[in-house]
Each structure stands twice: as C-alpha cells, then as structure tokens.
C-alpha cells in the first residue's frame, strides 16, 4: 500500500508541514476550514498510484504548520504566496493546484495571480467568484444578519474559544452537520450563541467518517488550535482591498469544478457556478456528486479521485 510521509518545508517565510505521496508531476491539495492535510488522505494515495506527486500542506495557521500571531498576516496574498512558495520549495516549475472550501479561493487566486506556476486548477465546493464591487462583510451582514458565521468570525477571540472548548465535539458537529448525511442548516448563530449551536452532535457518525477520523483531527489541532484558521475570515475585507488589481480578471489555466448537490455552499452559489465560464474560460467540466454535502473529497473519495485523475490526464 502507498505510504503517506510527512516533513516540514520552508515555503517563503513559513515553515509548512506537508503530507505527501508518490512521484511525478506535482499536485497541491489545499484544505479548507476546519480541516488540515488529513482531509486529503484518500486523494494522496490515489494520486500517487496514478503517477503523481501529491502534496497536502497544513496551510498557514493550521495544525502542525501554525502561523503568525498577527491577524493581518492571513490575507489571500499571503495564502497564494504560500502556495507559490511551496511549489518552488518542492523544486517544481509548475503544479496543478486543487482546493476545497477555503482552499478553493486560494487555488483560484493562485491560478489567477500566477498562471505561470499553475498547470491546472481544481475547485471543490467553492466556485470562483469575481471580485465584488463593495467590501464583503457589510454585504453579508445586510443579507444574512449579524448572526451569519462569517460576520461573527470578525469578533476577536470568541469564535475560536467556542471551537477549542470541545474539539472532538466541534469536529463531529461540523463534519456531520454540513455533510450530505446531516441537516446542513444555514450557519446563522442564535442571539448569544455560536454556529455550533445550529449543528447537532450526531448519535452515530455517517459511514464515511469514523471515530478514528475525529481523533485524528483533534490530535492535529492539539498545538495550534483555531485562532489561525479563524484569522482567514478576519481578512475578508482586507482581501477585497488588496485584490483590486485583479478585479474581474480571468483565470486562464485549465480548470475543473466539483461539488455535492447537497452542499449548502454550492447550492447557494448556483448563479456563480452557472456563469463561471465568464471568468474561467478554460473550465473543462463541472461535476455534481449526488447526495454529497460540503466535505466533497471525504464524503465521495472514489468519485472525486476519478474526476481529478481524469482531469490531470487530460492536461
């Protein structure tokens, strides 16, 4: 069986922990929130066996990588810079960059800003959205209210304290609640509460998720906790300011988009998905996974692997 190995790599200013497998053309796998390299466990081995060098880092602020204390050092420019720095540190000229959840905007941005480094780009759950005409946080507050989770995450200290209080419970609620097996409620916190209050703690985990998986996430978060991950959200308006030069700029490399038809994020973005070729002209395919929720590559590993490897072989 293919082995997943671990090491640390200096990627620019950041000492990144990576999990990797295989040899061949480089494929970067960028996780989302609240995840880490472990969310790509099924893809690392499958890609290696298909002839690729698959690398899943813990991104800035997460798990074994950790990150700076200053919230302002978690902008999209930092995150795309980390991806480019990692490509260089691994000795590759270019890579295919795949991202899920928050990793998808990082993948899209890397392909948009540095197409010379990106052979292809794969987004899961979160489609590419062109830069909006106004800062996003106030727009979300008007649309969804102060309880919307991205608005709540602007508060200092409070969101991560709630997540860190019972990490096993946090991962059970998040991974089950937003899956195709869970209720996938709108992430709008009640007055005086947090988003975990709208996500049930399951009596039984779905078949794709085990107690050992939950324990693995808890162990990976043991040192760095949730402050770094939440800091990504605290830069939403700053990202908008910093990306003015790429306003409505196209993404040139060949692209693939994958999402579950029970993913509240993707379902809510159908307009952006249907019009994505306006800004991603080389979008080769959009793959919808029946009955799949938000955790695309964990819930449907075989189907995701097939779609990703088919895309890679077509490059």
């Amino acid at each position: 069986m293919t082995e997943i190995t671990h090491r640390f790599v200096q990627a620019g200013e950041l000492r990144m922990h990576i999990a990797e497998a295989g040899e061949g053309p480089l494929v970067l796998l960028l996780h989302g929130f609240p995840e880490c390299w472990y969310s790509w466990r099924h893809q690392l081995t499958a890609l290696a066996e298909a002839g690729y060098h698959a690398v899943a880092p813990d991104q800035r602020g997460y798990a074994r990588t950790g990150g700076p204390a200053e919230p302002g050092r978690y902008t999209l420019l930092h995150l795309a810079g980390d991806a480019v720095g990692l490509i260089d540190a691994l000795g590759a000229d270019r890579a295919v960059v795949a991202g899920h959840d928050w990793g998808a905007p990082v993948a899209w941005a890397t392909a948009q800003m540095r197409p010379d480094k990106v052979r292809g780009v794969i987004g899961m759950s979160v489609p590419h959205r062109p830069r909006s005409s106004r800062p996003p946080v106030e727009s979300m507050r008007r649309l969804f209210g102060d309880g919307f989770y991205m608005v709540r995450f602007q508060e200092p200290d409070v969101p991560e304290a709630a997540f860190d209080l019972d990490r096993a419970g946090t991962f059970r609620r998040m991974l089950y609640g937003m899956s195709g097996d869970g209720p996938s409620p709108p992430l709008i916190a009640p007055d005086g509460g947090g988003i975990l209050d709208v996500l049930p703690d399951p009596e039984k985990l779905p078949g794709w998720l085990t107690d050992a998986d939950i324990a693995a996430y808890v162990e990976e978060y043991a040192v760095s906790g949730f402050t770094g991950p939440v800091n990504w959200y605290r830069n939403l308006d700053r990202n908008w300011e910093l990306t003015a030069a790429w306003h409505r700029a196209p993404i040139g490399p060949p692209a693939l988009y994958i999402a579950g038809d029970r993913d509240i994020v993707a379902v809510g973005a159908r307009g952006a998905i249907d019009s994505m070729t306006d800004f991603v002209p080389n979008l080769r395919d959009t793959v919808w996974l029946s009955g799949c929720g938000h955790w695309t590559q964990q819930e449907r590993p075989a189907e995701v692997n097939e779609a990703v490897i088919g895309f890679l072989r077509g490059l």
Side-chain angles (χ1 to χ4, degrees):
M1 182 175 178
T2 302
E3 182 184 5
I4 297 172
T5 60
H6 299 261
R7 61 181 166 125
F8 287 87
V9 174
Q10 193 69 36
E13 67 169 359
L14 199 63
R15 183 173 179 263
M16 298 188 80
H17 165 254
I18 65 170
E20 63 186 331
E23 296 180 354
L26 178 61
V27 182
L28 284 191
L29 303 169
L30 305 179
H31 63 79
F33 176 88
E35 299 171 285
C36 63
W37 75 268
Y38 188 77
S39 71
W40 299 104
R41 58 197 179 277
H42 305 296
Q43 286 67 47
L44 285 164
T45 53
L47 289 171
E49 289 164 5
Y52 298 92
H53 181 198
V55 175
D58 289 334
Q59 294 198 81
R60 177 177 294 247
Y62 279 83
R64 301 188 214 180
T65 294
E70 302 89 345
R73 291 172 67 187
Y74 290 83
T75 71
L76 193 58
L77 296 189
H78 287 93
L79 303 173
D82 293 340
V84 172
L86 184 55
I87 293 169
D88 290 341
L90 293 170
D93 293 326
R94 297 191 299 162
V96 172
V97 183
H100 166 258
D101 183 79
W102 245 119
V106 179
W108 295 123
T110 304
Q112 184 182 58
M113 296 172 180
R114 292 299 307 271
D116 59 311
K117 290 290 186 180
V118 179
R119 292 179 57 231
V121 57
I122 303 168
M124 299 184 195
S125 177
V126 179
H128 170 66
R129 292 176 180 269
R131 181 178 177 273
S132 62
S133 59
R134 61 189 64 182
V137 174
E138 188 54 41
S139 297
M140 290 186 290
R141 182 178 279 113
R142 285 200 308 270
L143 282 171
F144 306 116
D146 289 333
F148 185 58
Y149 77 106
M150 291 192 190
V151 176
R152 283 287 178 89
F153 282 5
Q154 306 308 307
E155 300 174 19
D157 303 324
V158 174
E160 55 262 55
F163 291 135
D164 279 325
L165 189 62
D166 173 14
R167 288 178 183 156
T170 294
F171 289 114
R172 283 196 307 271
R173 290 173 183 270
M174 292 288 291
L175 294 171
Y176 166 72
M178 297 294 293
S179 76
D181 300 279
S184 292
L187 293 181
I188 299 175
D191 291 342
I195 65 167
L196 293 178
D197 294 320
V198 302
L199 295 169
D201 197 343
E203 294 181 4
K204 181 181 179 182
L205 294 174
W208 60 271
L209 183 65
T210 68
D211 289 327
D213 295 329
I214 299 297
Y217 277 113
V218 171
E219 182 178 0
E220 295 294 334
Y221 273 64
V223 175
S224 297
F226 279 90
T227 297
V230 177
N231 279 340
W232 289 39
Y233 292 90
R234 294 180 175 128
N235 284 278
L236 291 172
D237 282 350
R238 190 175 286 110
N239 291 340
W240 182 84
E241 295 170 0
L242 292 173
T243 56
W246 293 275
H247 184 72
R248 303 179 77 79
I251 292 175
L256 171 68
Y257 175 72
I258 307 172
D261 66 4
R262 291 208 66 231
D263 180 356
I264 190 172
V265 174
V267 171
R270 283 303 292 257
I273 295 166
D274 291 343
S275 62
M276 200 161 27
T277 52
D278 292 347
F279 300 96
V280 189
N282 289 321
L283 181 66
R284 301 237 172 131
D285 199 8
T286 294
V287 178
W288 289 99
L289 304 176
S290 178
C292 181
H294 182 62
W295 312 109
T296 321
Q297 74 272 22
Q298 297 186 81
E299 293 185 54
R300 294 288 191 277
E303 293 166 80
V304 168
N305 294 346
E306 181 181 7
V308 168
I309 291 170
F311 172 74
L312 294 174
R313 287 178 171 160
L315 295 177

